[in-house]
Amino acid sequence: MGITAIYPGTFDPITMGHIDIARRAAHVFDRVILAVYDTPAKSLVFSTPERVAMARRALTDVSTVDVREFNGLLVDFARHVGAKVIVRGLRAVSDFEIETQMALMNRKMAPEVEEVFLVASLQYSFLSASLIKEIVKLGGPAEGLVPDFVADALRQKFASAGEAAPVPRWLSG
Ligand code: ADP
């Protein structure tokens, strides 16, 4: 049987930081379900099928990581898939505050599910999906921070939304 862990998030899009946490979790637990949250409160760049497909592609070589989408309460989905552990990544003090709040709420609802935090690797501890979206939107590079196919998908998304990088005003003077 072994221990199944669930690693939930928005993954809009998956970054090297997320991939690092998923791979490290796969070393610790027998099975990891990377659970892509279908309906976050924040606005999204990628659809749920797109976010799932990118996460799957990024982790295709790790046979014990399974990518699934979910909606509703995380603890209900965790129970449904038989996960005993919720994994989250911790970057900074600001993560700690919100994460402990969510963890305590989850524990109140599902005391049998334990939450485990993996500290972000140093090279990714400044990295967030929202920061990468902002950089690519402004025409900056995302190489090394997301897989190349994710960087391409981001550029395509912004181009097709008519949100290509603006020409800086200081260039036209
Ligand atoms: P959410 O929208 O639920 O905050 P995200 O998709 O942004 O989720 O991130 C999912 C999980 O991955 C969270 O636990 C978050 O703290 C963690 N995470 C995000 N970026 C990194 C990173 N660069 N290194 C390690 N963990 C990260």
Side-chain angles (χ1 to χ4, degrees):
M1 257 307 307
I3 297 183
T4 297
I6 192 162
Y7 175 35
T10 308
F11 305 107
D12 183 47
I14 193 154
T15 70
M16 293 305 196
H18 296 136
I19 294 166
D20 179 60
I21 295 287
R23 286 180 190 277
R24 286 165 52 200
H27 281 130
V28 179
F29 302 105
D30 301 289
R31 186 164 153 249
V32 175
I33 296 176
L34 186 147
V36 178
Y37 186 39
D38 182 46
T39 45
K42 48 190 170 189
S43 66
L44 295 167
V45 168
F46 293 101
S47 69
T48 302
E50 288 171 328
R51 287 179 287 136
V52 167
M54 285 189 283
R56 241 175 226 153
R57 184 165 166 193
L59 290 157
T60 180
D61 60 311
V62 194
S63 63
T64 55
V65 175
D66 207 6
V67 178
R68 305 264 305 263
E69 70 170 84
F70 79 104
N71 58 12
L73 281 177
L74 171 64
V75 289
D76 289 342
F77 187 60
R79 283 182 178 133
H80 172 71
V81 296
K84 276 192 181 156
V85 177
I86 296 170
V87 171
R88 295 283 286 177
L90 270 191
R91 285 160 297 185
V93 181
S94 50
D95 273 352
F96 182 83
E97 217 172 297
I98 181 102
E99 292 295 339
T100 42
Q101 193 183 11
M102 283 197 298
L104 290 170
M105 191 56 86
N106 283 336
R107 172 140 12 115
K108 187 168 164 53
M109 293 184 283
E112 77 282 11
V113 179
E114 201 55 71
E115 189 136 350
V116 165
F117 296 109
L118 297 184
V119 173
S121 294
L122 189 57
Q123 70 268 40
Y124 303 131
S125 55
F126 63 93
L127 189 59
S128 75
S130 48
L131 189 56
I132 288 174
K133 285 184 275 192
E134 192 68 26
I135 289 170
V136 174
K137 199 169 167 178
L138 296 172
E143 276 62 27
L145 305 179
V146 294
D148 288 350
F149 71 87
V150 171
D152 290 343
L154 269 170
R155 279 190 279 266
Q156 257 178 34
K157 233 346 151 193
F158 291 129
S160 64
E163 293 182 42
V167 177
R169 264 197 301 273
W170 43 262
L171 265 186
S172 55

